[in-house]
Amino acid sequence: MQRSKLTKIDKDFKNKDIISISQFSKQDLEYFFKITDIFKKQNKSKLLDLLKGKIISLVFYEPSTRTFSSFSAAVKLLGGQTIEIQDVSNTSVAKGETLEDTMRTLASYTDLIVLRHPEKGAVQIASESVNIPVINAGDGVGEHPTQALLDLYTIYEKNKTLDGIKGLIVGDLLNGRTVHSLIKGLNLFDSVELFLLSPSELSLPKNLIEENTNIRLKSILSPDQIPGDLNFWYWTRVQKERFKNLKLYEEIKHKYILDNKLIKNKANKNTIFMHPLPRIGEIKLEVDSDPRALYFTDQIRNGLSVRMSLLTLIFGERNSL
Ligand code: NCD
């Protein structure tokens, strides 16, 4: 029997797929942040057994470092085990097996699938072919909901709220799935204001502008127009793999660079600097030692607590905490 997918969370994560941030309400996110706080305080050396006896498939049809390894570590810290497929060319995919059949196979051995795929919408289709929960770890230029959960949690942690937050998002707004999910998440909160800075070829897809009307979105044309009172700056990589025209990619990949000079001119003492990583030159190394730069500290570490929290809630083990 097929389960109905893209179900609203409605404060109950048990057995749900996580395909899009649009499944969440403001209350779901606030509840999720509270549970994540518990994992954040947990001593990492003390293995929990919340996922004891569970096997999780990590199946990545696209490259990954952080998402893959933090999910793997999260499962292990919770006492579960993993089947890890990071190179589908070593699987029956290379023989022409469909995504659905690969999913059916993994669903017969494991309890949950974490899937990354190059095509937008593919993770939802995959989830409809199995009766175990599927988590979207990035579907092409679509969404990356677990990255948004950790990004939102990081901003929330620093400001104690997401209402009234003011931020800047820079880079590949067209293809950056982390940006798409982040904007959907921020749209659930009140009085959010976002400034968008991208090469004109990479501006935010129209449908996202139309669907997220609760946020005041303002496109700016140059770093000179960055207001000085922002809570966060979210830089992103120009996504080479989504370009047909590599000459254009080379021309615009480093149009906007985060460096100490820009920080000195436009940031304030509370502005935090974020990036989903990997960076490929758009943040200068000199920025890393700034205590407001969180991409290799709080933001990346929150990826682990957020994924531990999410897996625990999906398996319905929250009461054992
Ligand atoms: C991002 C992704 O895969 O979408 N990385 C990540 O998961 N943290 C960002 C990117 O690849 O640019």
Side-chain angles (χ1 to χ4, degrees), residues 18-20 59-64 67-68 71 99 113-124 126 134-148 175-178 180-181 239 242 307:
I18 305 295
I19 306 292
S20 166
V59 195
F60 281 56
Y61 287 66
E62 272 193 343
S64 172
T67 307
F68 188 89
F71 263 115
L99 176 62
I113 299 170
V114 178
L115 175 65
R116 172 170 286 188
H117 196 278
E119 281 164 45
K120 182 179 175 183
V123 178
Q124 184 172 352
V134 174
I135 299 179
N136 180 2
D139 62 328
V141 299
E143 278 209 51
H144 193 345
T146 64
Q147 178 72 36
N175 302 305
R177 54 195 173 201
T178 73
H180 303 164
S181 292
Q239 311 252 308
R242 315 289 178 210
R307 290 176 174 117

Side-chain angles (χ1 to χ4, degrees), residues 73-124:
V75 172
K76 285 156 188 154
L77 287 164
L78 293 168
Q81 297 186 70
T82 52
I83 288 182
E84 310 200 341
I85 300 176
Q86 217 174 356
D87 180 3
V88 291
S89 69
N90 285 326
T91 71
S92 291
V93 172
K95 301 178 188 170
E97 185 168 63
T98 64
L99 176 62
E100 286 91 333
D101 284 357
T102 303
M103 292 297 109
R104 288 182 189 111
T105 306
L106 292 165
S108 55
Y109 305 138
T110 66
D111 301 288
L112 181 146
I113 299 170
V114 178
L115 175 65
R116 172 170 286 188
H117 196 278
E119 281 164 45
K120 182 179 175 183
V123 178
Q124 184 172 352

Side-chain angles (χ1 to χ4, degrees), residues 47-60:
L47 259 183
L48 301 172
D49 60 5
L50 295 165
L51 260 61
K52 201 169 168 197
K54 302 277 190 245
I55 305 179
I56 315 298
S57 297
L58 306 180
V59 195
F60 281 56

